[in-house]
Amino acid sequence: MQRDIVQRPGITVGHADARPVARTSLPGNLLAPSAGRRFVEAALTEWTGLGLPTAVGFSERLADDAAVVVSELVTNAVVHAGTNVELLCRLEEATEDDVAALVLEVSDHHPARAVRSERREGGGPADAAEGGVPTGSVDPADYGRGLQLVGTLSERWGITYRTGLKTVWARLPVDDWNPFPEPSTEPGFQQGLRAAELLAPTARRALRDDADWAGRGALSFLAEASDLLAGQLDEDIVAALAGQLLVPRLADWCAIWLEPENGGPAAVPRLASVWHRDEAETGELRAVLEQGPIRLPGRVGTGPVSMPWPGGEEDAEKPDERADSTLAYRITSGGRTLGAVLLGREGTARVPDEVTALIEDFVRRVGLAVGAARAYTRQATISRILQRALLPGKVADIPGVTSSLVYEPSDDGVVGGDFYDIFPCPGDRWCFVLGDVQGSGPEAAVVTGLARPWLRLLAREGFGAGEVLDRLNRLLLDDAMEAAEAAALMVAAAGGQQTADTGQSRFLSLLYGELVPLPGGGVRCTVASAGHPLPLLLRPDGEVRPAAESQMLLGIFDDVAYESQSFELAPGDSLLCVTDGVTERRSGTLMFDDGDGLARALADCAGLSADGIADRIKRAVHEFAERPPDDDLALLVLQAG
């Protein structure tokens, strides 16, 4: 009989002294589930082969069930939490209350994200905080069978919440408990363990077969390592993964130094990563290595360089009971030195040439990954600086009106197309703008950089809302088009990649409005929308209605006559303005505004302040889908006092 239970904070699963235990960290990407399966398979094979007193004889069914369970749990963590994943598997001996079991634990670092399996009958997801066990009926084909499989294959499963950590665990009963199994004599154990576990280190030191690295094992290792490293956009993560891949497969320990990007000849490399096959010795090794960075002579290329064993001078008087090897490699990319890798092997006087050549190829891939990560970081930094320059440093305070603004650019490393502004104008008027340029990057930034000052100039010249859009439309069709094309050509000339739509018009959706305070309270509001999501007016009683009419995008046709609509924003009324990052937020095939979803969400905000409405809508948009938003998100709430 299956028992689904939930662990509460402070309750541990199993025995604290259970042995053996295998643990690893997996990157939060789509390679993690397959790496997790290989890790568990390798751990079970190793435990059986080593003939430990607490080891067991594992059936094929248990191995298959464990692979399915860990695959589902790791996939769930990667997809729904989006963080790195900690995987632990251990054996628990039989007790008076429990049978012997293999316990699998998968932890992520986003405990606020619920564990998903099905949806309740009312349409909402099952709440892990209330049990994590799905209720209601739904077609599993529509929402997945992950935790159903876990519940079916395991004796019991549950969730443990700790500070900054959420752990989903499952107990799989072990067949034919045998505390003293016969040691395995399978000749392919060493090769199988290493080949099966390329992307996740084993808890115990892998038994090496250096001769095998000259064959397909080396090619497989380099291919999978390249895929894993190439997917990282942070140089520190690249360094950490590189150490994890080297130890214990090719070395007993390794350290990676990275040069400052713009430090010059006098810059001091920083110790980015230290790995040791014995975690207890990592701290001591780091302390020794932090005494001084590794420096390779300028004439040294990318090949291996023999180095003294770290701390060897202190142990010079001790008898040398075994030979150890230490090698250093220069990390390069595009002819530039990016850092160095230092690795060591205990009990090995000489590292075979096949292995040193393999490590050199691997370090070359590390250099490419670090170079790519730094290029991305530079681009993201420039984009953030440019984004800040394109947005107002401060929005104006409107008398009698409370405003709340939310702006979240997408984290894709390029300049987004959303922009906003609130500014005063002559005649006791205040104007507000919410716009979205088609696309992103330099061309979109050019249009944004032209549109915002043009809007301020036209508004302060006294043009009405419709006239402002008319003139801005003609300006976009002339100057902005030419400027965008020039920016694209400059990017291409500088060696950048020209976007596929270069040479086409940069369309602009825009919501433009004017507010004039009324003597008796409230404000007179005039708005004009050009291809933009329509603003929504919220009355204190919860009534919601559109406050403008949809019109043509700016920058398409030059003979469009834009019109405006006016209405009174009475005390207590709220006006919600958003970009399509809100209305077109996707969850599968559904969008947030399908079935007037935004209006329904706004109606639930009756009685809230401007800040409360903005926060409620923002949370609703984020919670609509598991993955973070992939588009810029901007929303403006104006509430009459």
Side-chain angles (χ1 to χ4, degrees):
M1 179 177 181
Q2 306 297 327
R3 292 186 291 146
D4 294 341
I5 68 170
V6 175
Q7 293 295 110
R8 298 301 179 187
I11 302 177
T12 58
V13 184
H15 309 292
D17 58 348
R19 292 294 185 271
V21 175
R23 69 180 74 229
T24 187
S25 296
L26 302 172
N29 58 36
L30 297 181
L31 295 175
S34 61
R37 290 193 299 270
R38 288 193 291 270
F39 176 77
V40 172
E41 178 185 352
L44 297 182
T45 303
E46 184 179 8
W47 289 341
T48 301
L50 293 177
L52 299 174
T54 54
V56 297
F58 300 109
S59 65
E60 292 185 2
R61 175 181 176 181
L62 175 64
D64 292 342
D65 289 352
V68 173
V69 169
V70 77
S71 181
E72 294 296 337
L73 294 183
V74 171
T75 300
N76 205 21
V78 170
V79 172
H80 299 312
T83 69
N84 288 350
V85 177
E86 313 299 327
L87 171 60
L88 179 146
C89 54
R90 70 168 183 267
L91 297 176
E92 292 187 355
E93 296 186 13
T95 65
E96 295 181 358
D97 299 325
D98 282 319
V99 299
L102 171 67
V103 179
L104 302 172
E105 297 183 3
V106 175
S107 303
D108 64 70
H109 301 274
H110 201 326
R113 291 286 177 90
V115 176
R116 311 285 178 158
S117 178
E118 297 180 342
R119 293 189 179 273
R120 297 184 186 274
E121 293 180 358
D127 187 358
E130 299 176 358
V133 180
T135 60
S137 59
V138 69
D139 183 1
D142 293 337
Y143 202 67
R145 299 182 174 133
L147 294 185
Q148 290 185 9
L149 288 173
V150 173
T152 300
L153 297 177
S154 59
E155 178 217 0
R156 60 181 183 266
W157 68 276
I159 309 168
T160 302
Y161 289 91
R162 301 181 182 88
T163 303
L165 200 69
K166 176 173 79 266
T167 300
V168 185
W169 55 267
R171 282 177 53 93
L172 280 67
V174 174
D175 301 328
D176 301 327
W177 175 263
N178 176 14
F180 299 100
E182 293 296 328
S184 172
T185 58
E186 181 183 357
F189 167 67
Q190 297 178 24
Q191 178 179 353
L193 176 61
R194 179 179 52 74
E197 217 275 286
L198 282 170
L199 296 180
T202 57
R204 301 179 180 275
R205 177 181 178 181
L207 301 176
R208 301 192 191 95
D209 183 2
D210 286 336
D212 182 58
W213 285 114
R216 273 182 293 179
L219 296 177
S220 176
F221 172 77
L222 290 175
E224 296 198 44
S226 297
D227 289 341
L228 182 59
L229 293 172
Q232 309 305 323
L233 299 177
D234 185 289
E235 63 180 66
D236 288 322
I237 295 180
V238 171
L241 287 176
Q244 192 173 358
L245 287 164
L246 284 173
V247 178
R249 301 173 190 89
L250 297 170
D252 292 311
W253 59 265
C254 82
I256 297 177
W257 282 267
L258 293 178
E259 299 276 354
E261 186 169 5
N262 299 313
V268 178
R270 64 182 180 88
L271 187 58
S273 176
V274 177
W275 280 86
H276 198 289
R277 62 179 177 84
D278 185 351
E279 293 183 3
E281 298 186 24
T282 302
E284 182 179 352
L285 176 62
R286 176 179 287 274
V288 172
L289 296 175
E290 284 178 342
Q291 296 176 7
I294 181 176
R295 294 186 182 277
L296 298 177
R299 64 180 183 277
V300 174
T302 59
V305 179
S306 296
M307 302 290 290
W309 190 264
E313 296 179 359
E314 299 177 3
D315 300 333
E317 298 180 357
K318 297 181 180 180
D320 188 10
E321 299 179 354
R322 62 182 182 183
D324 300 325
S325 298
T326 306
L327 297 176
Y329 292 82
R330 188 187 301 277
I331 302 174
T332 62
S333 178
R336 296 183 57 191
T337 297
L338 303 182
V341 175
L342 183 69
L343 56 90
R345 281 192 168 198
E346 299 175 356
T348 303
R350 179 180 178 277
V351 181
D353 293 341
E354 296 83 358
V355 176
T356 59
L358 173 61
I359 297 174
E360 182 178 353
D361 285 342
F362 174 77
V363 173
R364 187 177 297 112
R365 286 159 172 77
V366 172
L368 293 175
V370 171
R374 290 189 170 183
Y376 173 83
T377 301
R378 287 194 297 270
Q379 176 180 328
T381 301
I382 293 172
S383 294
R384 285 192 293 268
I385 295 173
L386 182 56
Q387 191 84 62
R388 287 196 295 267
L390 295 174
L391 298 174
K394 182 181 178 181
V395 295
D397 294 327
I398 306 174
V401 176
T402 303
S403 63
S404 183
L405 177 70
V406 173
Y407 177 71
E408 295 181 350
S410 63
D411 188 21
D412 57 4
V414 298
V415 181
D418 288 10
F419 66 95
Y420 59 86
D421 203 358
I422 301 177
F423 54 92
C425 285
D428 198 25
R429 296 179 299 130
W430 276 262
C431 300
F432 61 92
V433 176
L434 205 58
D436 185 4
V437 181
Q438 174 220 14
S440 58
E443 300 97 320
V446 168
V447 178
T448 302
L450 293 174
R452 195 168 69 85
W454 279 343
L455 282 166
R456 286 197 171 207
L457 177 62
L458 292 171
R460 287 168 177 168
E461 287 296 319
F463 293 106
E467 294 176 304
V468 168
L469 295 191
D470 288 340
R471 285 162 172 77
L472 179 60
N473 182 53
R474 288 195 289 270
L475 288 168
L476 283 172
L477 288 169
D478 297 332
D479 295 344
M481 176 66 178
E482 297 174 3
E485 291 179 355
L489 293 175
M490 291 176 63
V491 171
Q497 184 175 1
Q498 198 168 0
T499 55
D501 60 351
T502 295
Q504 298 180 359
S505 298
R506 308 302 300 184
F507 308 143
L508 171 64
S509 73
L510 186 75
L511 178 66
Y512 173 79
E514 295 180 355
L515 298 174
V516 178
L518 298 176
V523 293
R524 183 70 177 174
C525 183
T526 302
V527 294
S529 175
H532 203 79
L534 299 181
L536 298 178
L537 177 62
L538 172 65
R539 300 293 188 186
D541 60 0
E543 177 191 355
V544 176
R545 67 174 180 84
E549 295 181 1
S550 182
Q551 301 177 87
M552 182 65 64
L553 286 163
L554 297 170
I556 299 180
F557 301 113
D558 60 0
D559 57 351
V560 180
Y562 290 93
E563 299 180 353
S564 62
Q565 293 78 41
S566 297
F567 56 92
E568 183 176 335
L569 202 62
D573 289 349
S574 301
L575 187 68
L576 173 64
C577 312
V578 302
T579 59
D580 60 8
V582 173
T583 57
E584 296 181 6
R585 166 81 156 129
R586 287 190 172 275
S587 177
T589 59
L590 300 177
M591 290 195 297
F592 183 75
D593 200 32
D594 286 348
D596 294 327
L598 179 59
R600 288 187 284 106
L602 182 60
D604 294 336
C605 298
L608 296 180
S609 64
D611 288 337
I613 294 173
D615 183 67
R616 177 77 65 85
I617 298 299
K618 181 186 72 172
R619 284 192 288 111
V621 173
H622 278 276
E623 294 171 359
F624 183 70
E626 294 293 341
R627 292 183 177 275
D630 56 3
D631 192 7
D632 298 342
L633 187 154
L635 63 91
L636 172 66
V637 178
L638 301 171
Q639 189 174 76

